[in-house]
Amino acid sequence: MVEITLNGKKVEARDGETILDLATREGIHIPTLCHHPAVEPTGACRMCLVEFSMNNGPKKITSSCTLVAEPGMVVETDSERVHKNRKSVLELLMARVPGNPELEKLAKESDARLAPRFPEMKEDCILCGLCARVCEEVVGAKAIFFTNRGTELDVGGPFLESPEDCIGCGACVYVCPMDCIKMEQNAETRKIVKWDRELPMRKCEVCGYPFMPNFQVLRFKKWADMPGDYFKICADCRK
Amino acid sequence: MVDLTAVDKIIEGYHGDKTAILAILQDIQAVYNYLPREAMMRVVEKLQVSTTQVSSLATFFHAFSLKPRGKNIVTVCMGTACHVRGAPRVLDEIERQMGVKNQETTPDGLFTVETVNCVGACALGPLVMVNGNYHGNIATSEVTEVLDQYRKPAGQA
Amino acid sequence: MEKATTPQALLQIIEKHEKARDPNAVRISVCGGTGCKASGAGPLIEAFRKEIADRKLDVEVISTGCHGFCERGPLVVLHPSGVFYQKVKIKDIPEILDKTLAKGELIARLQYRDENRTVYVKEKEVPFYKDQERIVFAMNGHIDPTRLDHYLSMQGYRALATVLGKHQPGEIVEMVIKSGLRGRGGGGFPTGLKWKFTREAEGDKKYLICNADEGDPGAFMDRSVLEGNPHLVLEGMIIGAFAVGASEGYVYVRNEYPMAIEHLQLAITQARELGVLGQNILGTGFSFDVKINRGGGAFVCGEETALIASIEGRRGMPRTRPPFPAKKGLWGKPTDINNVETWANVPYIINRGVDWFTSIGTGDVSKSPFGGSKGTKIFSLVGKVNNTGLVEVPMGIPLRKIVFDIGGGIKNSKKGRTFKAVQTGGPSGGCIPDAYLDHPVDFDELSKLGSMMGSGGMIVMDDHTCMVEVARYFVDFLKEESCGKCTPCREGLRRMSEILNRMVRGQGKTEDLAVLEDLGAVMKDASLCQLGSTAANPVLSTLKYFRSEYEHHIATGLCDGRQCIDLIRYHITDACTGCTICAKKCPTQAITGENKQLHKLEQSKCVRCGVCYDACNFNAISILSGTEIREKLGE
């Protein structure tokens, strides 16, 4: 256990616990966008900023999702400086992705400018990379990732083309905080619209429901060494 | 079709070491003058890495070119020292004479114009490098003279 | 080269080479650094050697590392007399041998003369060198970097022999802490503390990295050190590896530096042969080896976590610190990273002692290594200054001395150019105006001025430099070089770039200045890495010291530096003598006029390239901006 000061109160953090996790446990709300408990924290979006100092040293701003509690740490989640920075980050994100309900909700919560002072871009993605991290760390497909750098940074398939390693599992659709990765599905195919990846579906031999893309079956068999007939019926009928 | 024997040789030279991927891509570019897609796919296959890893590296580091480049690479240094001594004007003049913009290749395939953010020859700015040869203290009026050296047919250069 | 199997044996080898070096031998040093090679030093060295062989003279021609005075290259120094010749050409060789070498006669046209036409005979008398204190560069100019015997003859590897023969790793760490040596790559963090953290970190394996990814545009000292004295860097690294307990090392060097890579590769091979690199070094049981990694052209890879990602074969995207690399670095293991110039200081600290090192520089480091800035720093003095090149000076020297004494003042001062600012610290540094020129240069003082030491770029700007354009240049540079991972840096730079690009076209708005300051604040506070948190410095420092230039751009479209091409017009004044040179040189035929008649410039054809301005010998071309355009041209 590690004792730290959080918003003026002495609290016990677990070994290796991040300030974000600790604050959440203590009932303190810190806004996040690129954070997901299933993947390693990355500190990209800078929404979860907090102010901290070590042993009475200078106060610094950093992301609470990557900050691990250490003895002698003093953390403020609610200071003026924290809010000022979070608001500026939000203003930048809202200028990039105008009209996004999630960003507008965060802006209202934190009393940030609703009308950014910059020309609007027509993007739908904040480049938090959560889709790519889930694809690599949870699914293991490594189908999508970052391309280019700086203000040209983008996320998607290799060379920003349709990702051939995408198994159409939809994990990226599920985790995207901007809800900008859409999935369309009918009886024959499933399409991840943002990546322009369309895959024929496999139908359950019992109930006939198109439960999984064929390509996903192929990859699962390769990764997990599953028996040949394992994916002939859907999970519901297998019960 | 791109002949990939050189790629295989390069990868063998690193004993298929995945961590040497950046060096492998650099060596491939040194042979082909750019990174052909087929060569990158061969790296994916041989090193057993993901296509996203190769594409993310090839588009992150600016030394890599994904497009074929001209016979002569004209690199204008845009480092600070060169910048304050007039590098933008030199680049303008080169673009004007070539009729192409930065990162483009002339229709005859003779020249590709590129910029670099400092080659570390700052005392000689503004500086233009052609195929690795340095031409320092270049005035806009001297651009023609420098480029003409590389316009000559092979054997006379 | 014979192999040394004990520290004692190495000392004997060093002493043998030291004795073999005759200080009175006749030698010709020709600078073979990249700068001089660009000016033709390569063929010059070959021609010297051939001529001397043909004449059967007992004279050694040494192709040395960079002497620093690149602008005057190729440089030649004759030893032991110390006669200094500059801009030497192949056709000068017979005369040098006939007159200077044989009879001691000087050749006036090859000698260095300053703006006042004062002639200087010896290298060390030249103002550019006189006020320098060359420690890291001490051997550059004297040794051939491809020759291990040259390095050994100048105490090379003596520090390593001392360390391995007499000391425990902990003692070396303490020594480096006490020396007050701070990182030369930018941050200025005490090197000894980094070593201590790495040494104390738990790990079955530890790594050591030399950061030679010199990405700062306008700085090239690391290149010159690696090209000119690679063994010095290696020796520093081997000592460091012993101190922190590292068994593997990497030198991460820019792919744009082929000669540095070649010389370093050769030095690694030679060091293995000598027995100072590899398994069981000098029979002490300590093993350490070094690999070279070539960088791929990304400024952000100078940041240590990005550099580590790149060595691991990933995108050079930084991660948040802590954990610092000393705890969790390359492949998750404790890793010590120091820059080229830092490593190069280490052997000298061992050889000459902590007291000697702390006698140079500012402050008091006896209680804390943060207490001052010790030793020397190499600056790359470039831009609108008469003497450009690399200068090594003691910490604490005033900026004015560097710019005006060593640098010889502002270029074209006779044409009326005056000093405006000196930009230090690379793209993340700041612009320092005239009022602060007497400030001493060290880590802490430069920070106080809103700039930083960085890796030592020092770009001098004159009154024909537009500070808004300078800010735009750095912001656009960083916008491309940012990794793009975190919001403040990526989106902040995007917006700063939009605003500044508007402003240099005369489309700035009054409220832009407040927005720039707000953006600067969030970038500084909230960015993930050092690149982002310092990226606003060029904007913030120019807003602080040169705010009126921003205001002029916005209010009247006046570019004080007469540089922003949308805001200026070239204009031929009555001083025109009709010499026709401008009309001949104009690439767009915008200038017309008869011989000996006042010339005329057609504004609609003018692309504002400035060729006419540079060409005019009569100061007859003026650059109009702001309200002058309407007043003089009626536009």
Side-chain angles (χ1 to χ4, degrees):
Chain A
M1 292 298 247
V2 181
E3 194 185 75
I4 72 152
T5 310
L6 183 63
N7 293 351
K9 200 177 108 192
K10 296 254 187 254
V11 292
E12 296 260 300
R14 296 171 184 146
D15 285 333
E17 191 171 29
T18 65
I19 297 301
L20 177 63
D21 288 345
L22 172 66
T24 311
R25 211 157 47 77
E26 290 287 324
I28 297 168
H29 174 64
I30 296 176
T32 61
L33 286 167
C34 72
H35 181 73
H36 195 283
V39 292
E40 287 291 312
T42 183
C45 75
R46 315 309 279 175
M47 263 323 293
C48 68
L49 297 170
V50 294
E51 193 169 6
F52 83 106
S53 63
M54 291 296 297
N55 309 315
N56 299 320
K59 288 185 179 178
K60 291 178 189 167
I61 293 278
T62 195
S63 46
S64 59
C65 67
T66 53
L67 186 64
V68 173
E70 278 187 47
M73 195 178 262
V74 178
V75 180
E76 290 284 336
T77 69
D78 222 18
S79 69
E80 198 185 319
R81 188 169 163 209
V82 166
H83 285 293
K84 191 169 171 269
N85 278 295
R86 282 190 201 153
K87 283 187 215 172
S88 298
V89 168
L90 260 178
E91 186 186 4
L92 289 167
L93 290 176
M94 289 174 77
R96 179 184 169 87
V97 187
N100 182 279
E102 178 67 19
L103 293 179
E104 283 177 356
K105 192 185 94 194
L106 286 174
K108 278 181 194 141
E109 266 176 34
S110 63
D111 197 24
R113 264 172 218 275
L114 286 168
R117 293 169 288 178
F118 310 107
E120 285 187 355
M121 290 171 77
K122 296 277 173 274
E123 297 291 334
D124 56 3
C125 161
I126 57 165
L127 298 172
C128 74
L130 191 51
C131 51
R133 285 183 291 141
V134 165
C135 187
E136 175 171 357
E137 293 175 39
V138 179
V139 182
K142 300 183 186 175
I144 46 171
F145 200 58
F146 289 114
T147 300
N148 300 330
R149 75 178 189 210
T151 47
E152 299 292 308
L153 185 74
D154 210 338
V155 69
F159 307 103
L160 298 175
E161 294 164 5
S162 176
E164 288 183 7
D165 290 323
C166 169
I167 59 172
C169 70
C172 54
V173 179
Y174 178 74
V175 297
C176 174
M178 294 289 98
D179 199 20
C180 71
I181 311 172
K182 302 285 186 206
M183 186 159 88
E184 287 169 1
Q185 186 170 329
N186 57 36
E188 304 303 323
T189 61
R190 176 187 287 179
K191 185 174 183 183
I192 312 285
V193 181
K194 193 170 180 66
W195 316 135
D196 192 24
R197 175 73 168 162
E198 194 165 8
L199 294 163
M201 296 297 286
R202 166 161 302 198
K203 287 179 182 150
C204 172
E205 288 188 359
V206 178
C207 69
Y209 183 75
F211 70 101
M212 202 187 248
N214 272 321
F215 186 69
Q216 188 174 349
V217 173
L218 286 175
R219 282 288 158 104
F220 274 12
K221 280 183 180 168
K222 190 174 147 197
W223 295 340
D225 196 22
M226 296 289 208
D229 56 354
Y230 190 83
F231 290 111
K232 284 192 172 160
I233 52 176
C234 73
D236 287 343
C237 294
R238 209 181 296 132
K239 278 179 194 161
Chain B
M1 264 314 277
V2 179
D3 179 9
L4 296 175
T5 40
V7 175
D8 292 344
K9 241 187 176 156
I10 289 166
I11 296 171
E12 270 167 41
Y14 290 92
H15 312 289
D17 178 5
K18 279 182 200 182
T19 67
I21 184 162
L22 198 53
I24 290 171
L25 293 176
Q26 284 166 338
D27 290 357
I28 291 172
Q29 167 143 319
V31 172
Y32 297 91
N33 219 1
Y34 76 111
L35 290 179
R37 183 65 73 87
E38 295 91 328
M40 288 189 279
M41 294 317 287
R42 185 71 138 224
V43 171
V44 167
E45 180 195 324
K46 289 252 171 176
L47 290 185
Q48 294 280 302
V49 294
S50 65
T51 320
T52 41
Q53 189 185 351
V54 173
S55 105
S56 80
L57 285 174
T59 59
F60 183 87
F61 293 104
H62 279 193
F64 293 126
S65 172
L66 299 181
K67 287 185 297 191
R69 298 190 293 175
K71 198 167 148 251
N72 300 293
I73 313 280
V74 181
T75 313
V76 185
C77 179
M78 301 303 276
T80 321
C82 290
H83 180 83
V84 301
R85 283 193 176 183
R89 293 197 325 208
V90 173
L91 176 64
D92 282 349
E93 184 61 25
I94 289 175
E95 288 178 338
R96 191 158 44 232
Q97 289 199 19
M98 296 275 169
V100 294
K101 290 282 171 200
N102 182 15
Q103 305 231 325
E104 290 178 354
T105 302
T106 52
D108 60 5
L110 206 52
F111 292 99
T112 296
V113 180
E114 292 183 350
T115 57
V116 62
N117 285 331
C118 194
V119 295
C122 312
L124 305 174
L127 181 121
V128 175
M129 233 165 59
V130 187
N131 306 334
N133 300 320
Y134 295 79
H135 299 274
N137 287 315
I138 290 251
T140 33
S141 52
E142 290 164 0
V143 165
T144 318
E145 194 186 318
V146 168
L147 294 180
D148 277 351
Q149 294 174 29
Y150 299 89
R151 283 206 177 96
K152 289 175 193 162
Q156 289 178 34
Chain C
M1 185 61 65
E2 59 196 301
K3 187 163 184 156
T5 50
T6 63
Q8 195 52 41
L10 177 59
L11 277 177
Q12 282 165 6
I13 293 174
I14 294 165
E15 273 155 26
K16 192 182 82 189
H17 285 287
E18 281 172 359
K19 279 193 193 120
R21 185 182 181 90
D22 176 5
N24 296 317
V26 180
R27 287 192 304 273
I28 301 174
S29 292
V30 186
C31 177
T34 292
C36 284
K37 282 248 167 103
S39 310
L44 181 73
I45 292 165
E46 289 315 308
F48 253 119
R49 288 196 171 132
K50 187 174 177 298
E51 187 72 23
I52 279 170
D54 288 350
R55 296 185 183 203
K56 297 191 175 63
L57 295 173
D58 182 23
V59 175
E60 193 181 6
V61 179
I62 306 174
S63 167
T64 71
C66 176
H67 294 219
F69 204 3
C70 312
E71 190 172 28
R72 296 287 171 153
L75 306 175
V76 173
V77 180
L78 307 179
H79 298 286
S81 69
V83 168
F84 175 69
Y85 286 149
Q86 41 109 57
K87 297 193 173 178
V88 178
K89 296 192 173 58
I90 290 177
K91 65 175 171 46
D92 299 323
I93 293 174
E95 202 178 343
I96 293 174
L97 299 182
D98 290 339
K99 287 191 179 158
T100 317
L101 204 67
K103 301 181 208 153
E105 287 172 22
L106 297 170
I107 304 164
R109 70 166 189 284
L110 297 176
Q111 287 181 289
Y112 170 75
R113 59 189 67 207
D114 63 15
E115 264 201 322
N116 303 319
R117 310 200 65 74
T118 312
V119 176
Y120 298 89
V121 177
K122 295 182 181 179
E123 189 177 36
K124 59 181 183 227
E125 294 165 355
V126 172
F128 179 76
Y129 292 105
K130 199 170 63 103
D131 290 312
Q132 292 196 42
E133 181 155 350
R134 297 198 144 207
I135 295 170
V136 171
F137 268 157
M139 292 185 220
N140 275 43
H142 293 277
I143 65 169
D144 179 338
T146 64
R147 297 271 299 267
L148 174 59
D149 58 327
H150 282 193
Y151 183 65
L152 291 169
S153 75
M154 296 191 79
Q155 298 215 331
Y157 288 113
R158 183 176 273 277
L160 180 68
T162 311
V163 166
L164 291 186
K166 291 187 194 156
H167 294 286
Q168 294 301 314
E171 294 170 11
I172 304 302
V173 172
E174 274 310 305
M175 214 187 258
V176 175
I177 292 176
K178 287 213 177 86
S179 75
L181 177 65
R182 290 167 71 173
R184 270 31 178 175
F189 192 81
T191 306
L193 287 184
K194 263 193 178 180
W195 289 18
K196 186 171 177 271
F197 297 150
T198 312
R199 179 170 166 68
E200 287 170 356
E202 277 175 43
D204 50 351
K205 188 162 188 165
K206 290 178 187 175
Y207 293 97
L208 188 137
I209 296 172
C210 170
N211 183 350
D213 190 47
E214 188 166 53
D216 275 15
F220 60 110
M221 60 286 295
D222 292 348
R223 164 183 215 155
S224 287
V225 173
L226 274 181
E227 283 178 358
N229 202 350
H231 279 292
L232 182 65
V233 180
L234 268 188
E235 186 177 2
M237 286 179 74
I238 302 165
I239 293 168
F242 175 72
V244 305
S247 55
E248 263 184 61
Y250 289 86
V251 181
Y252 188 87
V253 54
R254 296 183 71 193
N255 207 15
E256 287 91 346
Y257 288 2
M259 199 200 291
I261 295 171
E262 188 191 321
H263 288 182
L264 186 65
Q265 190 61 61
L266 184 64
I268 290 171
T269 309
Q270 290 168 342
R272 285 190 192 131
E273 284 167 13
L274 181 65
V276 295
L277 203 60
Q279 290 294 312
N280 191 18
I281 292 169
L282 301 180
T284 58
F286 157 61
S287 299
F288 175 67
D289 213 341
V290 173
K291 275 189 208 158
I292 298 176
N293 242 271
R294 291 168 292 154
F299 174 69
V300 67
C301 285
E303 199 280 338
E304 46 187 32
T305 60
L307 188 152
I308 287 172
S310 173
I311 293 183
E312 290 174 351
R314 296 183 288 121
R315 287 164 77 82
M317 280 183 151
R319 61 159 176 78
T320 44
R321 300 179 306 177
F324 286 90
K327 255 191 180 165
K328 215 175 162 194
L330 189 61
W331 314 115
K333 306 287 182 192
T335 303
D336 178 76
I337 307 185
N338 295 114
N339 135 290
V340 171
E341 193 184 336
T342 313
W343 289 120
N345 269 288
V346 171
Y348 289 105
I349 293 172
I350 306 287
N351 277 338
R352 300 204 200 166
V354 167
D355 291 343
W356 162 79
F357 195 75
T358 53
S359 72
I360 309 162
T362 61
D364 174 12
V365 293
S366 60
K367 290 186 190 74
S368 155
F370 285 103
S373 304
K374 293 298 181 188
T376 60
K377 177 75 192 87
I378 306 174
F379 289 99
S380 108
L381 184 63
V382 293
K384 307 277 189 71
V385 66
N386 274 315
N387 305 331
T388 60
L390 292 175
V391 302
E392 184 174 356
V393 289
M395 294 278 189
I397 189 172
L399 273 168
R400 189 181 300 282
K401 206 166 177 67
I402 301 180
V403 175
F404 286 91
D405 293 351
I406 297 174
I410 299 302
K411 214 178 178 79
N412 293 326
S413 57
K414 286 191 176 135
K415 276 191 176 175
R417 296 287 66 78
T418 54
F419 175 88
K420 184 185 272 184
V422 55
Q423 204 276 348
T424 74
S428 318
C431 295
I432 299 169
D434 187 58
Y436 300 98
L437 270 185
D438 291 311
H439 264 244
V441 176
D442 72 10
F443 288 107
D444 308 309
E445 289 295 325
L446 286 177
S447 295
K448 279 185 210 159
L449 294 176
S451 184
M452 58 189 224
M453 182 76 86
S455 61
M458 200 170 260
I459 293 120
V460 179
M461 296 168 183
D462 66 9
D463 59 331
H464 271 195
T465 313
C466 167
M467 300 316 277
V468 181
E469 161 57 23
V470 166
R472 184 212 60 80
Y473 165 78
F474 283 119
V475 164
D476 279 351
F477 172 89
L478 290 164
K479 180 181 92 158
E480 253 183 49
E481 295 291 342
S482 157
C483 79
K485 178 173 172 179
C486 78
T487 310
C489 178
R490 181 189 66 238
E491 301 300 326
L493 284 167
R494 183 199 309 281
R495 300 311 181 171
M496 277 188 160
S497 165
E498 282 172 4
I499 293 170
L500 293 168
N501 275 290
R502 256 198 297 113
M503 219 175 258
V504 297
R505 289 196 307 267
Q507 296 159 8
K509 295 182 250 173
T510 317
E511 59 268 29
D512 284 342
L513 300 187
V515 179
L516 284 175
E517 277 163 337
D518 282 358
L519 285 171
V522 66
M523 288 161 69
K524 205 168 182 168
D525 254 4
S527 292
L528 187 150
C529 82
Q530 285 283 315
L531 184 145
S533 63
T534 55
N537 279 353
V539 175
L540 295 177
S541 75
T542 47
L543 268 174
K544 186 172 165 191
Y545 297 123
F546 301 96
R547 199 179 188 90
S548 65
E549 293 202 19
Y550 283 86
E551 289 164 352
H552 293 161
H553 277 72
I554 295 169
T556 58
L558 166 66
C559 173
D560 296 81
R562 321 257 150 176
Q563 214 189 342
C564 296
I565 60 166
D566 289 309
L567 303 182
I568 58 166
R569 300 287 182 276
Y570 287 90
H571 173 61
I572 301 174
T573 68
D574 296 342
C576 173
T577 61
C579 76
T580 74
I581 188 161
C582 60
K584 280 188 195 129
K585 287 208 168 177
C586 176
T588 58
Q589 286 86 46
I591 301 177
T592 49
E594 296 295 315
N595 194 15
K596 294 185 181 165
Q597 301 288 312
L598 182 71
H599 278 45
K600 198 174 163 346
L601 194 159
E602 179 86 43
Q603 291 297 339
S604 62
K605 285 188 185 166
C606 175
V607 292
R608 287 157 223 157
C609 66
V611 165
C612 56
Y613 184 87
D614 294 341
C616 182
N617 291 317
F618 303 96
N619 248 339
I621 294 180
S622 70
I623 311 175
L624 310 177
S625 186
T627 51
E628 298 162 353
I629 295 178
R630 195 165 358 107
E631 286 157 14
K632 292 248 168 65
L633 304 176
E635 274 186 38

